[in-house]
Amino acid sequence: MKKVLVFGHQNPDTDAISSAISYAYLLNQIGVAAEPVALGESNAETNYALEHFHHTKLRVVNKASEETDTVALVDHNEFQQSISDIQEVTVYSVVDHHKVGNFETAAPLYYVAKPYGCTQSVIYGLYKEHGLAIPKDIAGLMLSGIISDTLLYSSPTCTDQDVAIAKELAKIADVNDEEYGHEMLRAGANVDDRTTESIVDGDAKSFTIAGKEIRVGQVNCVDVKDVLKRKEDVLKTMENFNQENHYDAFFLVITNILTNDSEGLLVGDDALAGFFEKAFNSTLSDHQMALPGIVSRKKQIIPPLTAAFEG
Amino acid sequence: MKKVLVFGHQNPDTDAISSAISYAYLLNQIGVAAEPVALGESNAETNYALEHFHHTKLRVVNKASEETDTVALVDHNEFQQSISDIQEVTVYSVVDHHKVGNFETAAPLYYVAKPYGCTQSVIYGLYKEHGLAIPKDIAGLMLSGIISDTLLYSSPTCTDQDVAIAKELAKIADVNDEEYGHEMLRAGANVDDRTTESIVDGDAKSFTIAGKEIRVGQVNCVDVKDVLKRKEDVLKTMENFNQENHYDAFFLVITNILTNDSEGLLVGDDALAGFFEKAFNSTLSDHQMALPGIVSRKKQIIPPLTAAFEG
């Protein structure tokens, strides 16, 4: 087996990037040659974390099979969220915290997933299992992943384990988790400098729900008006993505990280609008609906959408 | 969540039954109410192990949703090998050592798989992770699972980890692994007392390969003649199973546990015969082909069959 390429999902967020780093480091420590890479450019929040903990940006790759025969997936398992030629390489291992879907292998593999708020909390357990010490900067990046995925412990996806592990990591990294966390989230919530394409699709994932291809994006900000002041441009951009990629619908969730409320924007097949209204018990007006208290795509958006579409 | 029903695959072998027992015991120890059950009657080998280590036979269930909303799968993940109403319950966790296929959940879950020879070796790691002592009789049943799946360490699926863990378990169970192992395997290899249906389908699993429904059974014996003396009856029984269940082909692997060689019997769509000959570089004559050195369905039968069908 050649060097294992380790990567998170497309449109990488802080967990995807930092988990590739912490898991590749672990693999190298246990004698498995591995390199962390990314399936896209890191965002402003992730760049803040990388800089703070002295790590270079990851090399961006589009294909694996040109350089290796073996990969490790972190923070995802669904093939449509993975590298384009995933079917042409062997999956050595998966470390994840999502539901399992559209994942299949030809051979047995290492697969470890736990229903935690962040992949880093699962990786922390692997460090324990192998009796490995976590270097200071790696601990800081692992902490960054947890803060990002749980919105500093405020998301309903956050478990007691995530909090306990984050506190441990903060000690090793020698930072105050609350102070550092707020700084990091704010660094990622500045939307004024971002292109509309990045706001719309920068953190988007594709889901196949009841046979429909649904794209769900999410953008963090400190005031939803920062995004909605460009609403016309945002809707047009969502429409463009739909047409180019044949999505049946694009749903953008604009999350205020200070209030933990969101607004949803929907563009797509009009026949699907009712499913979105039913899922969130909310009403669309000019493509927009209120999503009070909703911050988690995994726990508060995909499950009710799936139920609405399938039920 | 109600009591978790823990079970291995249909047509349970010793690993499926004993892993349900050892994993349910672990769940109960960590505060998750669980009951080990089976998706079918245990075979003679498993009964030998259960008796030796003072455990009653498991309750056989056909449906989960009538009594619980939550299940845990051991020694399998593919839904067609699982309980009939798997889609109607929540999968709390999976502990396995097989490839991942046709497995999908609506929510994140615990999933731990390792490419070891036996599920019990993965469960052994979970006892370590939780710092739990393994009771003597549970250790004996875990050892039995490893001996069964690895044919006493002789199968190519057997890893160094399996052997090391089995030796540890033998110490805890206070048995000589080689002596006990031979006795247990011999108890399961007596085919004279078994019905032809049990020989043909008792350890069979279904696989969807290139769109074809392939049933692959395996029977252990100490002399392939013990089975082949009933060949006509065996072929007729395979044909009946094909017709009743719409299998495209039934492949029965008759394994001599003393020599670690097998003979294969094939009944089904004639157009598929060539794929089997190609997969094993062997020639069919009167539905039969030699499979020298082949003992592992997972490692030596399914992968070459998949390659032959898909290539």
Side-chain angles (χ1 to χ4, degrees):
Chain A
M1 144 177 133
K2 294 181 192 168
K3 184 178 66 176
V4 178
L5 280 190
V6 183
F7 46 80
H9 50 79
Q10 295 168 17
N11 286 341
D13 57 9
T14 301
D15 190 24
I17 299 270
S18 66
S19 289
I21 294 170
S22 62
Y23 185 56
Y25 180 87
L26 180 147
L27 286 178
N28 284 320
Q29 295 304 111
I30 62 170
V32 178
E35 182 193 348
V37 293
L39 302 191
E41 295 295 338
S42 43
N43 63 35
E45 179 193 281
T46 309
N47 289 339
Y48 179 90
L50 289 171
E51 227 169 86
H52 199 279
F53 294 107
H54 316 101
H55 202 290
T56 51
K57 290 186 188 179
L58 295 186
R59 183 163 69 90
V60 174
V61 299
N62 298 306
K63 291 202 166 197
S65 57
E66 286 161 1
E67 51 177 311
T68 188
D69 53 6
T70 311
V71 301
L73 314 186
V74 293
D75 197 29
H76 74 297
N77 67 79
E78 304 194 36
F79 281 3
Q80 71 265 35
Q81 297 169 4
S82 197
I83 203 159
S84 59
D85 58 349
I86 184 72
Q87 302 274 16
E88 292 164 47
V89 289
T90 299
V91 180
Y92 172 79
S93 56
V94 175
V95 186
D96 194 20
H97 69 126
H98 295 89
K99 73 192 184 81
V100 180
N102 183 23
F103 177 79
E104 195 150 88
T105 60
L109 77 164
Y110 291 93
Y111 196 120
V112 54
K114 295 182 182 181
Y116 291 171
C118 177
T119 307
Q120 293 288 17
S121 302
V122 184
I123 293 174
Y124 180 87
L126 296 178
Y127 274 85
K128 290 280 163 198
E129 184 181 327
H130 290 284
L132 289 172
I134 305 175
K136 184 176 171 181
D137 283 341
I138 296 276
L141 290 171
M142 292 174 74
L143 172 66
S144 302
I146 298 179
I147 290 167
S148 172
D149 264 22
T150 66
L151 286 180
L152 196 47
Y153 320 137
S154 70
S155 166
T157 57
C158 188
T159 67
D160 293 346
Q161 286 87 348
D162 293 302
V163 178
I165 290 168
K167 300 288 179 189
E168 277 303 309
L169 291 167
K171 266 187 226 163
I172 301 171
D174 197 21
V175 294
N176 178 304
D177 57 333
E178 303 272 349
E179 278 175 28
Y180 169 75
H182 277 297
E183 283 310 307
M184 188 194 80
L185 290 176
R186 276 185 175 277
N190 177 6
V191 291
D192 283 344
D193 295 343
R194 293 175 65 180
T195 64
T196 307
E197 282 73 18
S198 148
I199 288 173
V200 166
D201 202 57
D203 185 35
K205 292 183 184 177
S206 293
F207 298 86
T208 306
I209 304 177
K212 298 293 179 185
E213 193 75 1
I214 311 293
R215 187 78 168 172
V216 181
Q218 186 167 23
V219 57
N220 289 344
C221 55
V222 291
D223 186 339
V224 293
K225 288 200 196 94
D226 292 347
V227 175
L228 291 174
K229 69 187 178 194
R230 308 196 213 170
K231 181 170 171 182
E232 204 174 326
D233 193 24
V234 166
L235 293 176
K236 181 82 193 101
T237 302
M238 292 165 72
E239 175 65 33
N240 290 345
F241 275 110
N242 280 352
Q243 287 186 1
E244 277 165 33
N245 303 283
H246 307 289
Y247 303 140
D248 293 295
F250 202 124
F251 191 55
L252 178 65
V253 180
I254 306 162
T255 299
N256 183 324
I257 60 168
L258 302 181
T259 64
N260 292 324
D261 295 316
S262 298
E263 288 286 319
L265 295 180
L266 178 67
V267 175
D269 182 353
D270 285 341
L272 301 180
F275 295 121
F276 284 83
E277 294 189 324
K278 183 177 156 205
F280 305 109
N281 194 23
S282 189
T283 309
L284 278 163
S285 167
D286 186 24
H287 297 278
Q288 185 175 339
M289 61 164 67
L291 301 169
I294 288 188
V295 298
S296 166
R297 176 163 47 193
K298 184 164 83 169
K299 206 135 183 167
Q300 297 173 297
I301 295 170
I302 301 307
L305 264 186
T306 303
F309 271 74
E310 292 181 351
Chain B
M1 139 177 133
K2 294 183 192 167
K3 183 179 66 177
V4 178
L5 280 191
V6 183
F7 46 80
H9 50 79
Q10 295 167 16
N11 286 340
D13 57 10
T14 301
D15 190 24
I17 300 270
S18 66
S19 289
I21 294 170
S22 62
Y23 185 56
Y25 181 86
L26 180 147
L27 287 178
N28 284 319
Q29 295 304 111
I30 63 171
V32 178
E35 182 194 349
V37 293
L39 302 191
E41 295 294 337
S42 44
N43 62 33
E45 179 194 281
T46 308
N47 289 340
Y48 179 91
L50 289 172
E51 228 169 86
H52 199 279
F53 295 108
H54 315 100
H55 203 290
T56 52
K57 290 185 188 179
L58 295 186
R59 183 164 69 90
V60 174
V61 301
N62 298 306
K63 290 203 165 195
S65 57
E66 286 161 2
E67 51 178 312
T68 188
D69 53 6
T70 311
V71 301
L73 314 187
V74 293
D75 197 29
H76 75 297
N77 67 80
E78 305 194 36
F79 280 3
Q80 71 267 34
Q81 297 168 4
S82 197
I83 203 158
S84 58
D85 59 348
I86 184 72
Q87 301 273 16
E88 293 165 45
V89 288
T90 299
V91 180
Y92 172 79
S93 57
V94 175
V95 187
D96 194 19
H97 69 126
H98 295 90
K99 72 193 184 80
V100 180
N102 182 23
F103 178 81
E104 196 149 273
T105 60
L109 77 163
Y110 292 92
Y111 195 119
V112 53
K114 296 183 181 180
Y116 291 171
C118 178
T119 307
Q120 294 288 17
S121 302
V122 184
I123 293 173
Y124 180 87
L126 296 179
Y127 274 85
K128 290 280 162 199
E129 183 181 328
H130 290 283
L132 289 172
I134 306 175
K136 184 175 170 182
D137 283 341
I138 296 275
L141 289 171
M142 293 173 74
L143 172 66
S144 303
I146 299 179
I147 290 167
S148 173
D149 264 21
T150 66
L151 285 180
L152 196 47
Y153 321 138
S154 70
S155 166
T157 56
C158 188
T159 67
D160 293 346
Q161 286 89 347
D162 294 302
V163 178
I165 290 168
K167 299 289 179 189
E168 278 303 311
L169 292 168
K171 267 187 225 161
I172 302 171
D174 196 20
V175 294
N176 177 305
D177 58 332
E178 303 272 347
E179 277 174 30
Y180 168 75
H182 277 298
E183 283 310 307
M184 188 196 79
L185 290 176
R186 276 185 176 277
N190 177 5
V191 291
D192 283 343
D193 295 343
R194 293 175 63 181
T195 65
T196 306
E197 282 72 18
S198 148
I199 288 172
V200 166
D201 202 57
D203 184 36
K205 292 183 183 175
S206 292
F207 298 86
T208 306
I209 305 177
K212 299 293 178 184
E213 193 75 1
I214 310 294
R215 187 78 168 171
V216 181
Q218 187 168 23
V219 57
N220 289 344
C221 56
V222 291
D223 187 339
V224 293
K225 288 201 194 93
D226 292 348
V227 175
L228 291 173
K229 68 187 177 193
R230 307 197 214 171
K231 181 171 172 182
E232 202 174 327
D233 193 24
V234 166
L235 293 177
K236 182 83 194 99
T237 303
M238 292 165 72
E239 174 65 32
N240 290 345
F241 275 110
N242 280 351
Q243 288 188 0
E244 279 166 30
N245 303 283
H246 307 289
Y247 303 141
D248 293 295
F250 203 123
F251 192 55
L252 178 65
V253 180
I254 307 162
T255 298
N256 183 323
I257 60 167
L258 303 181
T259 64
N260 292 324
D261 296 316
S262 298
E263 287 286 318
L265 295 181
L266 178 67
V267 176
D269 182 350
D270 285 341
L272 302 179
F275 296 122
F276 284 82
E277 293 189 323
K278 183 178 156 205
F280 304 109
N281 194 26
S282 189
T283 309
L284 278 163
S285 168
D286 186 24
H287 297 279
Q288 185 175 340
M289 60 164 68
L291 301 170
I294 289 188
V295 298
S296 166
R297 177 165 47 196
K298 184 164 82 171
K299 206 134 182 169
Q300 297 174 297
I301 295 171
I302 301 307
L305 264 186
T306 303
F309 271 76
E310 292 181 350

